[in-house]
Amino acid sequence: MMNCKTFALAATAVTLACSAAADTSDKRIALSNNYAGNSWRQAMLTSWETVTGPAVSEGIVAAADAFTTAENQATEQAAQIQNMILEGYDAIVLNAASPTALNGAVKEACDAGIVVVSFDGIVTEPCAYRIAVDFKEMGRKQVEYLAGRMPDGGNLLEIRGLAGVFVDDEIHAGITAGVAEFPQFTIAGSVNGDWAQDVAQRAVAGVLPSLPEIVGVVTQGGDGYGAAQAIAAAGRPTPVIVMGNRQDELKWWGEQRDANGYETMSLSIAPGVSTLAFWVAQQVLDGASVPQDLTVPFLEITQDGLDEGLASTPEGGVANVEYSLEDAKAVIAGAN
Amino acid sequence: MRPDLRILLPVLSLAVLLALVFWLQPRAMSYRGLNLLFNLAVPIALATVAQMIIIMVNDIDLSMGTFVSFVACVTATFVHDTPVIGYLMLAGAVLAYAAIGALIQARDLPAIVVTLGMSFVWAGLAVLVLPTPGGAAPEWLRTLMTARPPFVPMAVIAAALIALVGHLIVMRSSFGVLLRGLGGNEKSVAKAGWSPVLLRASAYGLAGLFAVLAGMTLVGLTTAADANIALRYTLLSIAGVILGGGEFTGGRVSPVGAVIGALTLTLAASFLSFLKLSSDWQIGAQGAILILVLAARLLFARRARA
């Protein structure tokens, strides 16, 4: 690959030719997925198909098969990983049902010389690579944005995710840190929206009567539209609600902007992170030096990018971005 | 069905599936391959034997999955950090199982309701012990479960050992005869002067012991636990007992069959995965395999009667 890089400066076409001739053309990569039952996971699987399909037909890798367990259970996924070892895959890309319960199977895979790259639902086994999202920063950033919009501060409503899940704890910790950094804000109330619009709407409607005036709503994604509906139904002025990249949220935001110039921001993890994991696995197989822990930036939609984000997000879906080999190299270089 | 026929069908189904898996994936036909195919079946086999003991006394245990999860959480935390307290907790869990059995017999309660209720208790306790996934496997357990004995893989040895111990206790000991008698004809056992409360309590206690071993071996394999780790075991263990030639009533069970049933279920999942069947179809296909085996059993039974 070294001599390819010098050519690549001259022409992009050469890069393609070089990657097609890379050492990974006979390597097979499998995706082990534990759940496919929501729009985010569906988008994740579609992205995997979109990016790995051409990669296989161009001969960059020999195969990139996606497997989803029939039930969302760690023991099922452990068995699935062991079957992949038996099938002789060279790398396993993994969205794990549990950060710890798959460690035994992951260790078996590593011992068999298989590269394991976990993303989104990461595993703690040291031999695996982890592509994590900085969920804490996702929480802190929301408060920072609100501080930019409203220097005087005020009361915030926090909508949390599913209680007891790692992601919920992390985003909440980030929001708490954000409020400590910008003390002009106080969290006046907190409800669990379970990352679902209908649950969030019910929870917000229930807590609203007991709350003082709210200037902002900090969220975790999948709950902004429900919050907006509940607040409108209560006849209160609409606060700045941070959105989470879901299509219904972006659509509502667009309508409000056109009607009264409403401004906010939207951020969430892109389901296409599965494709980043694919390229990272390919790079490891190619012999690149990759640190065990990588952080992927979250996908942010600003006021200016709203139309573009809305146009590219399918009805009922999630704003997405798919990663290329170059993006993966940039992420790896940034971490090295 | 005669006992030899009862065991013949499970053995046949396992052999057929194994042949199909070897044909699809020749790599499985090796020391390492067999270990990878079957090592996760070891805790399932233990849970299946535990469920079999409950079914043997005409009851059914809907808390098996959450109980094994709870044991896994205790093993990955207390048994690892403070072994004395950890083992005491596990012993307490076995006693609790015995107490549930005594309660069911003494108050004449339906086991299905009591164990369903207990499943929430165990699930709650598991979350209390280990609120976020983690913990670590005790060193000796990890060594035991990843041991590489010569010639025969650990998973196969363990399965054979579980079947043998189960067979000796349930089919060969006088204690086992009494327990099967409790399932077959409770009144006659009571008339012979045995306390049904004590017997049911010991059956549940024994099942609890096997379930504790299931949770411990599971942690030995996974290296860490999670409060939801073994939820599937409730239904897997019941299916394993029936697949292995057991019946829901009358104390007609087979420990060797139960272990083979657990292995067959695990193998069926691998077989479907090697077939590259879409996950949407896999649960249905697993069910179809189960129905196929049970249908074959009915045919066998009719022929044997004729």
Side-chain angles (χ1 to χ4, degrees), chain B residues 89-172:
Chain B
M89 282 174 83
L90 294 182
V94 173
L95 285 180
Y97 244 73
I100 295 163
L103 182 75
I104 287 172
Q105 179 73 38
R107 310 298 308 169
D108 201 12
L109 298 170
I112 196 165
V113 176
V114 177
T115 55
L116 181 64
M118 283 311 290
S119 74
F120 297 104
V121 174
W122 298 125
L125 287 176
V127 174
L128 277 181
V129 170
L130 193 64
T132 49
E139 203 49 50
W140 68 268
L141 202 54
R142 183 75 190 139
T143 317
L144 180 73
M145 293 314 287
T146 52
R148 306 246 185 255
F151 309 118
V152 188
M154 189 61 192
V156 177
I157 294 180
L161 199 67
I162 296 163
L164 181 71
V165 171
H167 185 77
L168 288 180
I169 295 178
V170 172
M171 309 306 276
R172 289 295 159 98

Side-chain angles (χ1 to χ4, degrees), chain A residues 65 68 70-71 73 75-76 78-79 82-83 85-89 98-101 103-104 108 112, chain B residues 25 27 32-33 36-37 39-40 133-134 221-226 228-229 232 270 274 276 279 283:
Chain A
D65 306 320
T68 300
E71 278 184 64
Q73 290 285 319
T75 43
E76 291 245 314
Q82 298 195 160
N83 287 336
I85 303 173
L86 272 178
E87 288 186 83
Y89 283 101
S98 157
T100 53
N103 282 353
E108 291 272 0
Chain B
Q25 190 48 262
R27 246 184 288 244
R32 252 202 51 201
L36 284 174
L37 271 184
N39 67 4
L40 283 165
L221 286 171
T222 59
T223 73
D226 148 344
N228 302 321
I229 192 166
R232 281 266 287 160
S270 298
F274 290 146
K276 299 225 187 321
S279 65
I283 293 188

Side-chain angles (χ1 to χ4, degrees), chain B residues 21-38:
Chain B
V21 165
F22 283 164
W23 173 62
L24 277 175
Q25 190 48 262
R27 246 184 288 244
M29 217 182 330
S30 64
Y31 181 95
R32 252 202 51 201
L34 281 174
N35 206 31
L36 284 174
L37 271 184
F38 286 124

Side-chain angles (χ1 to χ4, degrees), chain A residues 19-331:
Chain A
S19 14
D23 308 322
T24 58
S25 56
D26 61 338
K27 303 288 189 199
R28 294 161 66 235
I29 300 178
L31 169 68
S32 165
N33 175 39
N34 65 311
Y35 180 61
N38 62 25
S39 61
W40 197 94
R41 288 295 175 109
Q42 286 296 334
M44 182 194 98
L45 290 171
T46 314
S47 291
W48 175 270
E49 293 291 323
T50 323
V51 169
T52 61
V56 172
S57 56
E58 282 165 24
I60 298 173
V61 293
D65 306 320
F67 296 90
T68 300
T69 51
E71 278 184 64
N72 182 13
Q73 290 285 319
T75 43
E76 291 245 314
Q77 201 175 13
Q80 184 192 51
I81 291 170
Q82 298 195 160
N83 287 336
M84 287 172 177
I85 303 173
L86 272 178
E87 288 186 83
Y89 283 101
D90 299 289
I92 296 172
V93 174
L94 173 68
N95 193 346
S98 157
T100 53
L102 298 175
N103 282 353
V106 169
K107 188 80 186 23
E108 291 272 0
C110 292
D111 290 346
I114 296 169
V115 174
V116 180
V117 179
S118 64
F119 69 96
D120 186 38
I122 52 174
V123 292
T124 55
E125 169 58 48
C127 75
Y129 294 85
R130 275 163 293 280
I131 301 180
V133 177
D134 194 349
F135 287 114
K136 260 195 192 130
E137 175 64 14
M138 228 173 101
R140 197 200 63 82
K141 188 126 192 183
Q142 299 186 33
V143 186
E144 188 184 67
Y145 168 78
L146 292 174
R149 288 283 308 279
M150 292 167 286
D152 296 339
N155 293 312
L156 301 182
L157 170 63
E158 180 188 7
I159 305 179
R160 298 187 57 169
L162 208 54
V165 177
F166 156 83
V167 175
D168 171 58
D169 288 335
E170 288 287 299
I171 299 181
H172 172 68
I175 288 173
T176 313
V179 171
E181 191 183 333
F182 302 99
Q184 64 267 43
F185 288 106
T186 37
I187 303 280
S190 167
V191 293
N192 283 93
D194 296 0
W195 302 309
Q197 308 291 5
D198 55 330
V199 181
Q201 183 171 350
R202 254 180 286 132
V204 172
V207 76
L208 267 183
S210 67
L211 294 180
E213 195 204 349
I214 297 293
V215 298
V217 181
V218 281
T219 62
Q220 297 201 352
D223 41 16
Y225 177 73
Q229 294 300 312
I231 291 167
R236 287 195 174 214
T238 312
V240 178
I241 305 171
V242 180
M243 295 298 174
N245 291 1
R246 268 59 168 189
Q247 189 262 349
D248 47 7
E249 297 176 343
L250 299 179
K251 188 164 159 248
W252 178 85
W253 176 11
E255 285 163 7
Q256 295 295 310
R257 179 199 58 188
D258 297 343
N260 53 34
Y262 188 74
E263 272 185 49
T264 184
M265 68 159 341
S266 177
L267 75 187
S268 185
I269 167 174
V273 64
S274 61
T275 61
L276 178 65
F278 167 76
W279 290 118
V280 167
Q282 189 267 343
Q283 281 297 295
V284 176
L285 288 175
D286 200 20
S289 130
V290 178
Q292 301 291 129
D293 288 278
L294 293 168
T295 307
V296 60
F298 39 78
L299 178 62
E300 205 178 315
I301 297 176
T302 57
Q303 194 78 15
D304 300 332
L306 175 57
D307 285 321
E308 197 188 325
L310 194 51
S312 62
T313 307
E315 184 103 8
V318 188
N320 197 1
V321 36
E322 277 146 13
Y323 294 83
S324 68
L325 179 55
E326 304 310 315
D327 297 331
K329 281 182 178 164
V331 169

